């Protein structure tokens, strides 16, 4: 019942907004719409916390399972295990922040904006909750139309091009995923996760299935030469869309690896580990150098997302407990920190000054001290400094890589130096470097954080720092599920 509520609550919010809220564009009606959407997402957050509290981490099986036989061609299963519970929590935490981030900046089509965000929440949660491989693909792809509309309607000047890049790139990659799923279904006669986990495909079948699934997830991650869509989508997307993209959508590939590649294709994943590592290391170095040369703050954070995504990608293919747990922890940490950094750029600096270019900022610390402190903590977290959740995830991921292939592990560790270089370089140019020299009009508009902005940033900072100091709530819950996953990937 609780899992159904997670999917239904956003739909109830959409129904209330669609039927009870008029199309009146008055400020009072717009505030009602935004408040209804925010309350709906907070109720869903509380529901996910209840599931987390009731979850039994000593059992390695799907819990709160709900099964519906009314669907004609397949059964509709819902369930959550020790891996998916953290992605569910991440989704329900990020969505209220995404709604709050555009509280004042979206002034037209507010009703459509809130409905799209709530619909995305329901669809994203469905990806993490369904226990059928075909339904996984259906919901995996169903997030594309809302994202396409979100960027196309509320994006920046080049929004149409960016929305088509997002749609076509990811749809092309998912074609290979669909073919792999159809192959598995035709061989085994079922699309149920539990049944498929008990199978053992022959080696050559695993190879071809691995190619198809990995291409889809490599585009979604994204890796080298497949990341064009992400940069355009991030730069042109509204702030809420960028937060959802970085915080949740990029984690779909990470979750898909745990569901489709590691347990179903163990031999192929072990044999192609070195290829994945090579792709990951090249992606880290390429994205880091690209980040060093960019002057657009939003583009810089998007490039850094590519680099961090490559780190957790190679971590989860290490076939070690430390590497896989580190990949999950880094994915969660990246969801918190990148969302907060996008709020700093798009929700604070851009809303006040109208520009995202680093050369236009100097001496922000003099006139926005509270913002500068929180921004500095987030920059440190993005570098993977100790006492932050990013450090825990990055250290464990790189440890797993180093344990598997030391040479590529050393090369992957360059991400630590590169991330410190581009992040601190960005912060230094923005916060210090002399007196602020934008126009006089914009100087007066640059006031420090208001209550809404402070609450959003502070909540994400607290999650990053507290879980970085004491990561046991995540690591203890993951340990049993990850250990079982490793045993399933051992060569037969």
């Amino acid at each position: 019942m609780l899992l159904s509520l997670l999917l239904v609550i956003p739909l109830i919010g959409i129904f209330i907004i669609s039927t009870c809220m008029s199309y009146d564009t008055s400020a009072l009606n717009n505030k009602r719409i935004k408040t209804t959407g925010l309350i709906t997402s907070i109720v869903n957050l509380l529901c996910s916390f209840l599931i987390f509290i009731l979850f039994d981490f000593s059992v390695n099986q799907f819990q709160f399972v709900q099964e519906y036989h009314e669907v004609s061609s397949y059964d509709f299963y819902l369930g959550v295990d020790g891996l998916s519970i953290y992605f569910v929590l991440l989704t329900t935490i990020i969505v209220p922040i995404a709604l709050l981030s555009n509280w004042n900046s979206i002034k037209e089509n507010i009703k459509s904006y809130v409905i799209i965000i709530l619909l995305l929440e329901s669809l994203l949660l469905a990806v993490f909750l369904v226990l059928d491989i075909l339904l996984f693909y259906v919901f995996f792809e169903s997030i594309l139309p809302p994202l396409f509309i979100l960027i196309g309607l509320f994006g920046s000047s080049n929004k149409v091009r960016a929305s088509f890049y997002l749609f076509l790139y990811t749809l092309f990659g998912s074609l290979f995923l669909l073919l792999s799923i159809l192959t598995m279904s035709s061989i085994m006669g079922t699309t149920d996760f539990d049944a498929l986990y008990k199978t053992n495909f022959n080696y050559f079948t695993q190879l071809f299935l691995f190619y198809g699934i990995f291409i889809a997830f490599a585009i979604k991650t994204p890796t080298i030469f497949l990341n064009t869509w992400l940069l355009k989508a991030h730069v042109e997307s509204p702030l809420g869309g960028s937060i959802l993209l970085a915080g949740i959508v990029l984690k779909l590939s990470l979750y898909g690896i745990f569901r489709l590649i590691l347990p179903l294709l163990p031999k192929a994943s072990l044999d192609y580990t070195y290829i994945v590592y090579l792709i990951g290391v090249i992606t880290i170095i390429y994205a880091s150098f690209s980040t060093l040369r960019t002057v657009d703050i939003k583009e810089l954070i998007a490039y850094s997302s590519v680099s961090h995504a490559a780190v957790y990608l190679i971590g989860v293919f290490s076939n070690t407990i430390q590497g896989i747990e580190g990949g999950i922890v880094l994915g969660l940490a990246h969801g918190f920190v990148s969302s907060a950094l996008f709020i700093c750029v798009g929700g604070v600096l851009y809303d006040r000054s109208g520009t995202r270019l680093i050369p236009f900022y100097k001496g922000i610390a003099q006139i926005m001290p509270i913002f500068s402190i929180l921004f500095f903590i987030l920059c440190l977290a993005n570098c993977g400094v100790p006492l932050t959740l990013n450090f825990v995830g990055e250290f464990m991921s790189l440890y797993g890589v180093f344990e598997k292939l030391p040479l590529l592990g050393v090369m992957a560790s360059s991400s630590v130096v590169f991330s410190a270089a581009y992040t601190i370089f960005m912060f230094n140019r923005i916060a210090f470097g002399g007196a602020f020299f934008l126009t006089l009009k914009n100087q007066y508009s640059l006031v420090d954080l208001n209550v809404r902005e402070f609450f959003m940033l502070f909540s994400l900072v607290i999650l990053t720092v507290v879980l970085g100091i004491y990561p046991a709530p995540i690591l203890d819950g993951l340990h049993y599920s990850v250990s079982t996953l490793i045993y399933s990937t051992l060569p037969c």
Side-chain angles (χ1 to χ4, degrees):
M1 184 64 183
L2 286 174
L3 298 187
S4 295
L5 277 177
L6 278 178
L7 302 182
V8 169
I9 287 172
L11 300 179
I12 293 173
I14 292 172
F15 177 77
I16 293 172
I17 293 170
S18 301
T19 57
C20 301
M21 307 287 178
S22 66
Y23 281 93
D24 180 19
T25 57
S26 65
L28 181 60
N29 188 61
N30 288 338
K31 188 175 181 180
R32 284 200 198 102
I33 292 171
K34 291 185 285 189
T35 304
T36 303
L38 182 61
I39 291 172
T40 302
S41 61
I42 291 174
V43 170
N44 226 24
L45 173 60
L46 296 176
C47 184
S48 68
F49 274 129
L50 179 61
I51 293 171
F52 182 73
I53 292 169
L54 298 176
F55 191 85
D56 183 5
F57 287 98
S58 64
V59 178
N60 182 44
Q61 62 184 17
F62 292 105
Q63 300 178 40
F64 305 100
V65 175
Q66 295 172 236
E67 182 179 348
Y68 302 95
H69 294 282
E70 288 78 11
V71 184
S72 58
S73 57
Y74 47 82
D75 295 333
F76 187 73
Y77 288 95
L78 294 177
V80 66
D81 68 348
L83 297 173
S84 57
I85 183 70
Y86 293 102
F87 292 96
V88 170
L89 278 172
L90 177 66
T91 304
T92 54
I93 289 170
I94 294 297
V95 169
I97 291 173
L99 283 169
L100 276 172
S101 65
N102 281 123
W103 195 261
N104 296 324
S105 54
I106 300 290
K107 302 186 184 302
E108 296 180 355
N109 296 322
I110 292 176
K111 190 173 185 177
S112 303
Y113 177 79
V114 175
I115 288 174
I116 290 171
I117 296 292
L118 291 178
L119 179 61
L120 277 170
E121 179 179 19
S122 188
L123 295 175
L124 287 164
L125 287 171
V127 176
F128 300 129
L129 295 178
V130 292
L131 304 183
D132 185 281
I133 196 170
L134 184 60
L135 286 175
F136 172 87
Y137 172 79
V138 169
F139 289 112
F140 185 83
E141 287 304 292
S142 64
I143 65 167
L144 285 180
L147 278 175
F148 178 82
I149 297 170
L150 183 68
I151 297 174
L153 273 182
F154 303 99
S156 304
S157 56
N158 206 13
K159 56 190 178 184
V160 176
R161 183 181 179 88
S163 60
F164 273 104
Y165 260 85
L166 165 70
F167 194 87
L168 296 177
Y169 256 82
T170 52
L171 193 64
F172 171 75
S174 299
L175 173 63
F176 297 97
L177 176 61
L178 176 61
L179 293 174
S180 300
I181 289 172
L182 292 176
T183 303
M184 284 189 277
S185 177
S186 64
I187 292 173
M188 302 309 304
T190 181
T191 55
D192 179 70
F193 275 136
D194 275 333
L196 289 171
Y197 289 164
K198 295 176 175 63
T199 63
N200 186 17
F201 296 106
N202 69 58
Y203 182 68
F204 291 104
T205 303
Q206 286 194 28
L207 289 184
F208 285 104
L209 292 174
F210 180 85
Y211 299 150
I213 297 174
F214 184 74
I215 288 172
F217 292 157
I219 292 175
K220 206 79 168 185
T221 299
T223 58
I224 183 75
F225 304 129
L226 301 174
N227 56 8
T228 310
W229 69 269
L230 178 70
L231 302 175
K232 294 184 182 298
H234 267 314
V235 172
E236 303 299 330
S237 174
L239 177 56
S242 294
I243 291 172
L244 291 177
L245 269 173
I248 310 169
V249 175
L250 296 189
K251 310 305 175 293
L252 295 180
S253 59
L254 176 63
Y255 177 74
I257 290 170
F258 298 128
R259 283 287 175 258
L260 303 185
I261 292 183
L262 297 184
L264 296 178
L265 314 172
K267 297 175 185 175
S269 62
L270 286 173
D271 286 353
Y272 278 85
T273 296
Y274 69 98
I275 298 292
V276 176
Y277 278 17
L278 189 60
I279 293 172
V281 169
I282 294 172
T283 303
I284 290 169
I285 296 172
Y286 167 79
S288 298
F289 277 114
S290 300
T291 307
L292 280 168
R293 60 178 289 276
T294 186
V295 294
D296 187 315
I297 315 176
K298 202 172 184 183
E299 190 175 321
L300 187 149
I301 298 169
Y303 269 120
S304 72
S305 295
V306 175
S307 177
H308 289 112
V311 174
Y312 64 65
L313 174 69
I314 59 179
V316 298
F317 272 95
S318 65
N319 199 41
T320 62
I321 292 177
Q322 294 88 350
I324 295 177
E325 289 184 359
I328 298 173
V329 170
L330 183 58
L332 299 175
H334 175 261
F336 298 142
V337 173
S338 62
S339 300
L341 286 173
F342 277 119
I343 292 170
C344 290
V345 176
V348 179
L349 295 179
Y350 183 76
D351 280 355
R352 285 161 169 74
S353 64
T355 182
R356 295 192 301 260
L357 299 179
I358 295 175
F360 282 96
Y361 294 100
K362 274 189 179 181
I364 289 292
Q366 301 172 34
I367 52 179
M368 301 174 68
I370 298 176
F371 166 78
S372 299
I373 292 170
L374 294 177
F375 188 39
F376 181 60
I377 296 172
L378 292 167
C379 287
L380 292 178
N382 199 50
C383 300
V385 169
L387 302 184
T388 63
L389 190 59
N390 297 64
F391 169 76
V392 177
E394 201 159 326
F395 176 82
M396 293 179 70
S397 297
L398 294 173
Y399 179 85
V401 176
F402 189 82
E403 203 172 49
K404 187 84 171 179
L405 290 171
L407 178 60
L408 288 177
V410 170
M411 297 176 69
S413 299
S414 64
S415 67
V416 176
V417 179
F418 284 131
S419 61
Y422 59 68
T423 308
I424 298 302
F425 186 42
M426 172 195 68
F427 176 80
N428 186 58
R429 286 181 289 172
I430 292 174
F432 306 115
F436 188 71
F437 67 92
L438 271 178
T439 63
L440 191 62
K441 178 182 176 182
N442 284 335
Q443 275 196 38
Y444 286 118
S445 68
L446 270 158
V447 294
D448 217 336
L449 298 176
N450 57 37
V451 175
R452 174 182 60 86
E453 294 163 344
F454 178 79
F455 173 77
M456 289 190 295
L457 291 176
F458 186 72
S459 60
L460 292 171
V461 166
I462 285 294
L463 284 170
T464 304
V465 174
V466 170
L467 291 174
I469 296 172
Y470 186 70
I474 300 176
L475 295 178
D476 290 349
L478 286 174
H479 195 69
Y480 193 10
S481 297
V482 171
S483 302
T484 309
L485 184 66
I486 286 180
Y487 284 122
S488 73
T489 58
L490 290 175
C492 300

